[in-house]
Amino acid sequence: MGTQDMGYFSYHNGEWIHLGLFYGDGGDALQIGDKIYIIIGGRLRQIDNIQAKRYSSCHPPTGTNPFTAKLYKHPIDSTLYYVGYQLWHYHEESWTDLSKGLGNRLQMIMDIDINHQNPNQMFFAYDQPTWNSKKLSGKFFKSINGGESWIDITQNLPILAWHYVTSISSNPSNLNEIYVSLGKMDDSYLNKVYQSVDGGTTWKNISAEIPPFETFKIEHIPNSSGVILASLGGLFYKNDKLDQWIRLEGKIPPIAIRD
């Protein structure tokens, strides 16, 4: 877990351990096998274990180092993705810019989705709306060959003129079923979650009973039809037998949950 100024803490054998040698602004972190990847001050580092006394730099060859970059694990071969202003894939100690050819832009990639059963299907989305209903392009992309090439599907989701994708989740058991959560506050009409059942060609608004606040993360529950949504108003749940979302209560307070 990364923290501001204080580096990282690791939860190990029932207790939190401070990685005291790695001070600075801690960002995302990910463990793959015996390797631990951490982002300190916007730069990607690798350590071998939580007792490590030194790190090695493995930052992608990019001129940017956003503090809010994210790390993702390939669902099958355990390679690494670095998601910042570009989408980078780290394989055999070599980086490949999968977003090359989409133009140089200082816009954060909000999320990527790699289907767990068929990782050749990928989606990613940039921050911010298009701010123009007649210019629906450059915000939402799909690949069917593992990121070698991309199809711009922004126009398939016209709400991206005024909202932006915060999270993407495809069903591991059904490639064609995809959910996206959307940022930005709503006033009278809810635009919080959209669902596609044809691989991203068409979309349906399924936002009933979600508060008009920002949503941050959406995830399929493995081996079920259930989906969990994290929002400014708490956690929500829906499955294929429910017509609308229900708030998860009990020990979970209705507070902002971002992941």
Side-chain angles (χ1 to χ4, degrees):
M1 179 180 70
T3 63
Q4 184 174 356
D5 297 330
M6 293 296 292
Y8 286 87
F9 289 81
S10 174
Y11 191 70
H12 185 67
N13 292 334
E15 63 177 341
W16 286 98
I17 300 172
H18 183 228
L19 279 63
L21 294 175
F22 306 108
Y23 278 96
D25 288 326
D28 205 3
L30 182 66
Q31 182 167 354
I32 300 178
D34 59 354
K35 296 179 180 179
I36 301 172
Y37 298 91
I38 60 176
I39 297 177
I40 288 280
R43 303 288 296 181
L44 181 62
R45 316 293 190 184
Q46 178 193 317
I47 58 178
D48 292 329
N49 56 70
I50 60 174
Q51 281 82 34
K53 295 183 178 180
R54 63 182 62 187
Y55 59 72
S56 58
S57 177
C58 57
H59 198 70
T62 172
T64 61
N65 55 336
F67 282 30
T68 55
K70 300 176 183 177
L71 304 176
Y72 295 78
K73 173 183 171 295
H74 190 284
I76 294 177
D77 65 18
S78 296
T79 54
L80 175 72
Y81 293 88
Y82 171 94
V83 180
Y85 294 122
Q86 299 92 25
L87 171 56
W88 292 89
H89 183 212
Y90 191 53
H91 178 62
E92 295 182 349
E93 299 186 357
S94 177
W95 287 101
T96 301
D97 182 1
L98 298 182
S99 55
K100 185 178 181 180
L102 297 179
N104 294 321
R105 59 179 82 187
L106 285 178
Q107 291 183 12
M108 284 294 295
I109 295 175
M110 294 300 294
D111 195 25
I112 67 170
D113 176 81
I114 309 163
N115 188 270
H116 282 223
Q117 294 298 322
N118 183 356
N120 281 327
Q121 177 177 284
M122 301 175 64
F123 293 87
F124 84 87
Y126 282 108
D127 189 12
Q128 296 300 314
T130 68
W131 302 117
N132 187 338
S133 60
K134 296 181 180 179
K135 188 180 179 181
L136 287 168
S137 63
K139 292 295 181 179
F140 193 19
F141 295 87
K142 176 182 180 179
S143 176
I144 57 174
N145 54 17
E148 292 183 14
S149 62
W150 296 92
I151 305 164
D152 189 337
I153 61 170
T154 310
Q155 64 180 355
N156 297 349
L157 193 56
I159 192 62
L160 295 184
W162 314 114
H163 289 64
Y164 58 94
V165 172
T166 57
S167 182
I168 313 162
S169 182
S170 63
N171 187 341
S173 302
N174 181 0
L175 283 174
N176 289 320
E177 184 182 10
I178 304 107
Y179 292 83
V180 296
S181 61
L182 300 177
K184 191 180 177 185
M185 293 282 288
D186 286 321
D187 294 322
S188 57
Y189 193 75
L190 290 175
N191 292 285
K192 299 290 90 183
V193 176
Y194 278 68
Q195 177 196 37
S196 175
V197 294
D198 55 13
T201 301
T202 60
W203 296 85
K204 178 183 178 182
N205 187 346
I206 57 166
S207 304
E209 296 304 313
I210 302 174
F213 312 126
E214 288 198 59
T215 57
F216 301 113
K217 189 70 175 178
I218 191 164
E219 285 286 348
H220 274 90
I221 300 174
N223 304 315
S224 79
S225 66
V227 183
I228 294 284
L229 174 71
S231 81
L232 198 62
L235 284 179
F236 292 81
Y237 171 82
K238 190 180 185 305
N239 61 33
D240 58 8
K241 294 181 173 60
L242 295 173
D243 293 329
Q244 59 192 29
W245 294 82
I246 58 174
R247 188 195 300 272
L248 295 180
E249 298 178 334
K251 294 183 179 181
I252 303 174
I255 60 174
I257 299 176
R258 296 178 178 270
D259 206 352

PDB file of all heavy atoms in Angstrom, residues 233-258:
ATOM      1  N   GLY A 233     -20.680   7.155  -3.140  1.00  0.00           N
ATOM      2  CA  GLY A 233     -21.732   6.851  -2.174  1.00  0.00           C
ATOM      3  C   GLY A 233     -21.673   5.445  -1.620  1.00  0.00           C
ATOM      4  O   GLY A 233     -22.669   4.946  -1.096  1.00  0.00           O
ATOM      5  N   GLY A 234     -20.526   4.757  -1.736  1.00  0.00           N
ATOM      6  CA  GLY A 234     -20.382   3.417  -1.188  1.00  0.00           C
ATOM      7  C   GLY A 234     -20.319   2.346  -2.262  1.00  0.00           C
ATOM      8  O   GLY A 234     -20.056   2.618  -3.436  1.00  0.00           O
ATOM      9  N   LEU A 235     -20.568   1.088  -1.847  1.00  0.00           N
ATOM     10  CA  LEU A 235     -20.519  -0.061  -2.743  1.00  0.00           C
ATOM     11  C   LEU A 235     -21.919  -0.481  -3.169  1.00  0.00           C
ATOM     12  O   LEU A 235     -22.854  -0.487  -2.363  1.00  0.00           O
ATOM     13  CB  LEU A 235     -19.842  -1.254  -2.055  1.00  0.00           C
ATOM     14  CG  LEU A 235     -18.324  -1.237  -1.905  1.00  0.00           C
ATOM     15  CD1 LEU A 235     -17.862  -2.495  -1.183  1.00  0.00           C
ATOM     16  CD2 LEU A 235     -17.628  -1.122  -3.252  1.00  0.00           C
ATOM     17  N   PHE A 236     -22.031  -0.891  -4.455  1.00  0.00           N
ATOM     18  CA  PHE A 236     -23.311  -1.339  -4.994  1.00  0.00           C
ATOM     19  C   PHE A 236     -23.112  -2.673  -5.713  1.00  0.00           C
ATOM     20  O   PHE A 236     -22.021  -2.979  -6.205  1.00  0.00           O
ATOM     21  CB  PHE A 236     -23.891  -0.296  -5.947  1.00  0.00           C
ATOM     22  CG  PHE A 236     -24.318   0.967  -5.260  1.00  0.00           C
ATOM     23  CD1 PHE A 236     -23.392   1.940  -4.930  1.00  0.00           C
ATOM     24  CD2 PHE A 236     -25.642   1.169  -4.910  1.00  0.00           C
ATOM     25  CE1 PHE A 236     -23.769   3.100  -4.275  1.00  0.00           C
ATOM     26  CE2 PHE A 236     -26.036   2.320  -4.256  1.00  0.00           C
ATOM     27  CZ  PHE A 236     -25.100   3.286  -3.935  1.00  0.00           C
ATOM     28  N   TYR A 237     -24.213  -3.443  -5.783  1.00  0.00           N
ATOM     29  CA  TYR A 237     -24.156  -4.789  -6.370  1.00  0.00           C
ATOM     30  C   TYR A 237     -25.320  -4.988  -7.333  1.00  0.00           C
ATOM     31  O   TYR A 237     -26.434  -4.499  -7.111  1.00  0.00           O
ATOM     32  CB  TYR A 237     -24.231  -5.840  -5.262  1.00  0.00           C
ATOM     33  CG  TYR A 237     -24.396  -7.257  -5.768  1.00  0.00           C
ATOM     34  CD1 TYR A 237     -23.297  -7.995  -6.194  1.00  0.00           C
ATOM     35  CD2 TYR A 237     -25.659  -7.852  -5.825  1.00  0.00           C
ATOM     36  CE1 TYR A 237     -23.446  -9.295  -6.663  1.00  0.00           C
ATOM     37  CE2 TYR A 237     -25.817  -9.151  -6.293  1.00  0.00           C
ATOM     38  CZ  TYR A 237     -24.707  -9.865  -6.709  1.00  0.00           C
ATOM     39  OH  TYR A 237     -24.863 -11.143  -7.179  1.00  0.00           O
ATOM     40  N   LYS A 238     -25.037  -5.745  -8.408  1.00  0.00           N
ATOM     41  CA  LYS A 238     -26.083  -6.107  -9.359  1.00  0.00           C
ATOM     42  C   LYS A 238     -25.731  -7.440  -9.996  1.00  0.00           C
ATOM     43  O   LYS A 238     -24.555  -7.760 -10.181  1.00  0.00           O
ATOM     44  CB  LYS A 238     -26.231  -5.042 -10.457  1.00  0.00           C
ATOM     45  CG  LYS A 238     -27.447  -5.221 -11.358  1.00  0.00           C
ATOM     46  CD  LYS A 238     -27.516  -4.134 -12.414  1.00  0.00           C
ATOM     47  CE  LYS A 238     -28.797  -4.234 -13.236  1.00  0.00           C
ATOM     48  NZ  LYS A 238     -28.981  -5.562 -13.849  1.00  0.00           N
ATOM     49  N   ASN A 239     -26.758  -8.252 -10.320  1.00  0.00           N
ATOM     50  CA  ASN A 239     -26.553  -9.454 -11.120  1.00  0.00           C
ATOM     51  C   ASN A 239     -27.639  -9.530 -12.184  1.00  0.00           C
ATOM     52  O   ASN A 239     -28.483  -8.632 -12.292  1.00  0.00           O
ATOM     53  CB  ASN A 239     -26.521 -10.713 -10.242  1.00  0.00           C
ATOM     54  CG  ASN A 239     -27.817 -10.938  -9.472  1.00  0.00           C
ATOM     55  OD1 ASN A 239     -28.903 -10.604  -9.948  1.00  0.00           O
ATOM     56  ND2 ASN A 239     -27.712 -11.504  -8.274  1.00  0.00           N
ATOM     57  N   ASP A 240     -27.622 -10.597 -12.983  1.00  0.00           N
ATOM     58  CA  ASP A 240     -28.545 -10.658 -14.118  1.00  0.00           C
ATOM     59  C   ASP A 240     -29.993 -10.918 -13.714  1.00  0.00           C
ATOM     60  O   ASP A 240     -30.893 -10.901 -14.564  1.00  0.00           O
ATOM     61  CB  ASP A 240     -28.076 -11.698 -15.140  1.00  0.00           C
ATOM     62  CG  ASP A 240     -27.941 -13.096 -14.543  1.00  0.00           C
ATOM     63  OD1 ASP A 240     -28.348 -13.301 -13.378  1.00  0.00           O
ATOM     64  OD2 ASP A 240     -27.416 -13.982 -15.245  1.00  0.00           O
ATOM     65  N   LYS A 241     -30.248 -11.145 -12.427  1.00  0.00           N
ATOM     66  CA  LYS A 241     -31.613 -11.338 -11.956  1.00  0.00           C
ATOM     67  C   LYS A 241     -32.193 -10.069 -11.314  1.00  0.00           C
ATOM     68  O   LYS A 241     -33.370 -10.034 -10.962  1.00  0.00           O
ATOM     69  CB  LYS A 241     -31.674 -12.498 -10.955  1.00  0.00           C
ATOM     70  CG  LYS A 241     -31.354 -13.859 -11.562  1.00  0.00           C
ATOM     71  CD  LYS A 241     -31.449 -14.960 -10.530  1.00  0.00           C
ATOM     72  CE  LYS A 241     -31.289 -16.337 -11.166  1.00  0.00           C
ATOM     73  NZ  LYS A 241     -30.005 -16.506 -11.840  1.00  0.00           N
ATOM     74  N   LEU A 242     -31.370  -9.052 -11.156  1.00  0.00           N
ATOM     75  CA  LEU A 242     -31.807  -7.799 -10.542  1.00  0.00           C
ATOM     76  C   LEU A 242     -32.018  -6.730 -11.609  1.00  0.00           C
ATOM     77  O   LEU A 242     -31.180  -6.558 -12.498  1.00  0.00           O
ATOM     78  CB  LEU A 242     -30.772  -7.306  -9.529  1.00  0.00           C
ATOM     79  CG  LEU A 242     -30.533  -8.183  -8.292  1.00  0.00           C
ATOM     80  CD1 LEU A 242     -29.363  -7.632  -7.479  1.00  0.00           C
ATOM     81  CD2 LEU A 242     -31.791  -8.246  -7.435  1.00  0.00           C
ATOM     82  N   ASP A 243     -33.119  -6.005 -11.509  1.00  0.00           N
ATOM     83  CA  ASP A 243     -33.398  -4.929 -12.458  1.00  0.00           C
ATOM     84  C   ASP A 243     -32.651  -3.652 -12.108  1.00  0.00           C
ATOM     85  O   ASP A 243     -32.504  -2.768 -12.960  1.00  0.00           O
ATOM     86  CB  ASP A 243     -34.902  -4.633 -12.500  1.00  0.00           C
ATOM     87  CG  ASP A 243     -35.702  -5.788 -13.078  1.00  0.00           C
ATOM     88  OD1 ASP A 243     -35.153  -6.504 -13.941  1.00  0.00           O
ATOM     89  OD2 ASP A 243     -36.857  -5.984 -12.651  1.00  0.00           O
ATOM     90  N   GLN A 244     -32.220  -3.530 -10.861  1.00  0.00           N
ATOM     91  CA  GLN A 244     -31.527  -2.320 -10.444  1.00  0.00           C
ATOM     92  C   GLN A 244     -30.454  -2.663  -9.415  1.00  0.00           C
ATOM     93  O   GLN A 244     -30.395  -3.774  -8.896  1.00  0.00           O
ATOM     94  CB  GLN A 244     -32.512  -1.314  -9.856  1.00  0.00           C
ATOM     95  CG  GLN A 244     -33.276  -1.838  -8.651  1.00  0.00           C
ATOM     96  CD  GLN A 244     -34.431  -0.935  -8.269  1.00  0.00           C
ATOM     97  OE1 GLN A 244     -35.013  -0.255  -9.116  1.00  0.00           O
ATOM     98  NE2 GLN A 244     -34.761  -0.899  -6.991  1.00  0.00           N
ATOM     99  N   TRP A 245     -29.594  -1.706  -9.152  1.00  0.00           N
ATOM    100  CA  TRP A 245     -28.490  -1.896  -8.224  1.00  0.00           C
ATOM    101  C   TRP A 245     -28.981  -1.821  -6.782  1.00  0.00           C
ATOM    102  O   TRP A 245     -29.930  -1.094  -6.476  1.00  0.00           O
ATOM    103  CB  TRP A 245     -27.424  -0.830  -8.440  1.00  0.00           C
ATOM    104  CG  TRP A 245     -26.751  -0.927  -9.773  1.00  0.00           C
ATOM    105  CD1 TRP A 245     -27.219  -0.446 -10.956  1.00  0.00           C
ATOM    106  CD2 TRP A 245     -25.498  -1.546 -10.061  1.00  0.00           C
ATOM    107  NE1 TRP A 245     -26.337  -0.723 -11.971  1.00  0.00           N
ATOM    108  CE2 TRP A 245     -25.270  -1.394 -11.449  1.00  0.00           C
ATOM    109  CE3 TRP A 245     -24.541  -2.196  -9.290  1.00  0.00           C
ATOM    110  CZ2 TRP A 245     -24.126  -1.877 -12.072  1.00  0.00           C
ATOM    111  CZ3 TRP A 245     -23.401  -2.673  -9.907  1.00  0.00           C
ATOM    112  CH2 TRP A 245     -23.197  -2.523 -11.285  1.00  0.00           C
ATOM    113  N   ILE A 246     -28.323  -2.554  -5.891  1.00  0.00           N
ATOM    114  CA  ILE A 246     -28.612  -2.458  -4.468  1.00  0.00           C
ATOM    115  C   ILE A 246     -27.340  -2.050  -3.736  1.00  0.00           C
ATOM    116  O   ILE A 246     -26.232  -2.440  -4.116  1.00  0.00           O
ATOM    117  CB  ILE A 246     -29.157  -3.785  -3.891  1.00  0.00           C
ATOM    118  CG1 ILE A 246     -28.161  -4.928  -4.110  1.00  0.00           C
ATOM    119  CG2 ILE A 246     -30.510  -4.122  -4.505  1.00  0.00           C
ATOM    120  CD1 ILE A 246     -28.569  -6.224  -3.435  1.00  0.00           C
ATOM    121  N   ARG A 247     -27.509  -1.236  -2.702  1.00  0.00           N
ATOM    122  CA  ARG A 247     -26.362  -0.801  -1.915  1.00  0.00           C
ATOM    123  C   ARG A 247     -25.951  -1.914  -0.946  1.00  0.00           C
ATOM    124  O   ARG A 247     -26.793  -2.525  -0.286  1.00  0.00           O
ATOM    125  CB  ARG A 247     -26.701   0.460  -1.120  1.00  0.00           C
ATOM    126  CG  ARG A 247     -25.482   1.072  -0.415  1.00  0.00           C
ATOM    127  CD  ARG A 247     -25.914   2.083   0.639  1.00  0.00           C
ATOM    128  NE  ARG A 247     -26.672   3.170   0.071  1.00  0.00           N
ATOM    129  CZ  ARG A 247     -26.135   4.288  -0.414  1.00  0.00           C
ATOM    130  NH1 ARG A 247     -24.829   4.441  -0.409  1.00  0.00           N
ATOM    131  NH2 ARG A 247     -26.903   5.243  -0.908  1.00  0.00           N
ATOM    132  N   LEU A 248     -24.653  -2.190  -0.869  1.00  0.00           N
ATOM    133  CA  LEU A 248     -24.141  -3.147   0.101  1.00  0.00           C
ATOM    134  C   LEU A 248     -23.982  -2.430   1.435  1.00  0.00           C
ATOM    135  O   LEU A 248     -23.253  -1.439   1.536  1.00  0.00           O
ATOM    136  CB  LEU A 248     -22.804  -3.720  -0.366  1.00  0.00           C
ATOM    137  CG  LEU A 248     -22.858  -4.561  -1.651  1.00  0.00           C
ATOM    138  CD1 LEU A 248     -21.475  -5.078  -2.001  1.00  0.00           C
ATOM    139  CD2 LEU A 248     -23.829  -5.719  -1.509  1.00  0.00           C
ATOM    140  N   GLU A 249     -24.665  -2.941   2.449  1.00  0.00           N
ATOM    141  CA  GLU A 249     -24.687  -2.256   3.735  1.00  0.00           C
ATOM    142  C   GLU A 249     -24.053  -3.131   4.812  1.00  0.00           C
ATOM    143  O   GLU A 249     -23.077  -3.817   4.556  1.00  0.00           O
ATOM    144  CB  GLU A 249     -26.130  -1.866   4.071  1.00  0.00           C
ATOM    145  CG  GLU A 249     -26.714  -0.889   3.046  1.00  0.00           C
ATOM    146  CD  GLU A 249     -28.152  -0.532   3.325  1.00  0.00           C
ATOM    147  OE1 GLU A 249     -28.852  -1.341   3.964  1.00  0.00           O
ATOM    148  OE2 GLU A 249     -28.580   0.564   2.906  1.00  0.00           O
ATOM    149  N   GLY A 250     -24.576  -3.096   6.008  1.00  0.00           N
ATOM    150  CA  GLY A 250     -23.974  -3.860   7.095  1.00  0.00           C
ATOM    151  C   GLY A 250     -22.749  -3.153   7.627  1.00  0.00           C
ATOM    152  O   GLY A 250     -22.818  -2.012   8.083  1.00  0.00           O
ATOM    153  N   LYS A 251     -21.594  -3.803   7.542  1.00  0.00           N
ATOM    154  CA  LYS A 251     -20.356  -3.238   8.071  1.00  0.00           C
ATOM    155  C   LYS A 251     -19.676  -2.280   7.091  1.00  0.00           C
ATOM    156  O   LYS A 251     -18.630  -1.712   7.406  1.00  0.00           O
ATOM    157  CB  LYS A 251     -19.388  -4.360   8.450  1.00  0.00           C
ATOM    158  CG  LYS A 251     -19.871  -5.229   9.604  1.00  0.00           C
ATOM    159  CD  LYS A 251     -18.831  -6.268   9.984  1.00  0.00           C
ATOM    160  CE  LYS A 251     -19.310  -7.108  11.159  1.00  0.00           C
ATOM    161  NZ  LYS A 251     -18.301  -8.122  11.561  1.00  0.00           N
ATOM    162  N   ILE A 252     -20.254  -2.113   5.902  1.00  0.00           N
ATOM    163  CA  ILE A 252     -19.666  -1.220   4.905  1.00  0.00           C
ATOM    164  C   ILE A 252     -20.400   0.119   4.958  1.00  0.00           C
ATOM    165  O   ILE A 252     -21.575   0.197   4.600  1.00  0.00           O
ATOM    166  CB  ILE A 252     -19.769  -1.818   3.496  1.00  0.00           C
ATOM    167  CG1 ILE A 252     -19.094  -3.186   3.454  1.00  0.00           C
ATOM    168  CG2 ILE A 252     -19.140  -0.882   2.469  1.00  0.00           C
ATOM    169  CD1 ILE A 252     -19.266  -3.910   2.144  1.00  0.00           C
ATOM    170  N   PRO A 253     -19.769   1.191   5.415  1.00  0.00           N
ATOM    171  CA  PRO A 253     -20.459   2.484   5.514  1.00  0.00           C
ATOM    172  C   PRO A 253     -20.654   3.114   4.139  1.00  0.00           C
ATOM    173  O   PRO A 253     -19.913   2.815   3.199  1.00  0.00           O
ATOM    174  CB  PRO A 253     -19.502   3.319   6.371  1.00  0.00           C
ATOM    175  CG  PRO A 253     -18.151   2.729   6.108  1.00  0.00           C
ATOM    176  CD  PRO A 253     -18.377   1.258   5.898  1.00  0.00           C
ATOM    177  N   PRO A 254     -21.650   4.001   3.995  1.00  0.00           N
ATOM    178  CA  PRO A 254     -21.897   4.675   2.711  1.00  0.00           C
ATOM    179  C   PRO A 254     -20.931   5.836   2.497  1.00  0.00           C
ATOM    180  O   PRO A 254     -21.326   7.006   2.477  1.00  0.00           O
ATOM    181  CB  PRO A 254     -23.343   5.152   2.853  1.00  0.00           C
ATOM    182  CG  PRO A 254     -23.504   5.392   4.316  1.00  0.00           C
ATOM    183  CD  PRO A 254     -22.671   4.335   4.999  1.00  0.00           C
ATOM    184  N   ILE A 255     -19.657   5.515   2.364  1.00  0.00           N
ATOM    185  CA  ILE A 255     -18.626   6.530   2.162  1.00  0.00           C
ATOM    186  C   ILE A 255     -17.956   6.306   0.815  1.00  0.00           C
ATOM    187  O   ILE A 255     -18.204   5.308   0.138  1.00  0.00           O
ATOM    188  CB  ILE A 255     -17.570   6.486   3.286  1.00  0.00           C
ATOM    189  CG1 ILE A 255     -16.894   5.108   3.314  1.00  0.00           C
ATOM    190  CG2 ILE A 255     -18.201   6.806   4.636  1.00  0.00           C
ATOM    191  CD1 ILE A 255     -15.744   5.006   4.288  1.00  0.00           C
ATOM    192  N   ALA A 256     -17.098   7.223   0.424  1.00  0.00           N
ATOM    193  CA  ALA A 256     -16.393   7.096  -0.853  1.00  0.00           C
ATOM    194  C   ALA A 256     -15.483   5.875  -0.841  1.00  0.00           C
ATOM    195  O   ALA A 256     -14.652   5.707   0.048  1.00  0.00           O
ATOM    196  CB  ALA A 256     -15.576   8.353  -1.118  1.00  0.00           C
ATOM    197  N   ILE A 257     -15.663   5.001  -1.822  1.00  0.00           N
ATOM    198  CA  ILE A 257     -14.816   3.818  -2.003  1.00  0.00           C
ATOM    199  C   ILE A 257     -14.305   3.858  -3.434  1.00  0.00           C
ATOM    200  O   ILE A 257     -15.088   3.898  -4.378  1.00  0.00           O
ATOM    201  CB  ILE A 257     -15.597   2.521  -1.726  1.00  0.00           C
ATOM    202  CG1 ILE A 257     -16.092   2.509  -0.278  1.00  0.00           C
ATOM    203  CG2 ILE A 257     -14.726   1.299  -2.006  1.00  0.00           C
ATOM    204  CD1 ILE A 257     -16.954   1.323   0.078  1.00  0.00           C
ATOM    205  N   ARG A 258     -13.000   3.841  -3.589  1.00  0.00           N
ATOM    206  CA  ARG A 258     -12.402   4.081  -4.902  1.00  0.00           C
ATOM    207  C   ARG A 258     -11.848   2.837  -5.569  1.00  0.00           C
ATOM    208  O   ARG A 258     -11.421   2.886  -6.716  1.00  0.00           O
ATOM    209  CB  ARG A 258     -11.306   5.146  -4.784  1.00  0.00           C
ATOM    210  CG  ARG A 258     -11.853   6.499  -4.348  1.00  0.00           C
ATOM    211  CD  ARG A 258     -10.765   7.544  -4.194  1.00  0.00           C
ATOM    212  NE  ARG A 258     -11.326   8.829  -3.834  1.00  0.00           N
ATOM    213  CZ  ARG A 258     -11.715   9.756  -4.704  1.00  0.00           C
ATOM    214  NH1 ARG A 258     -11.583   9.540  -5.992  1.00  0.00           N
ATOM    215  NH2 ARG A 258     -12.226  10.898  -4.290  1.00  0.00           N
TER     216      ARG A 258
END
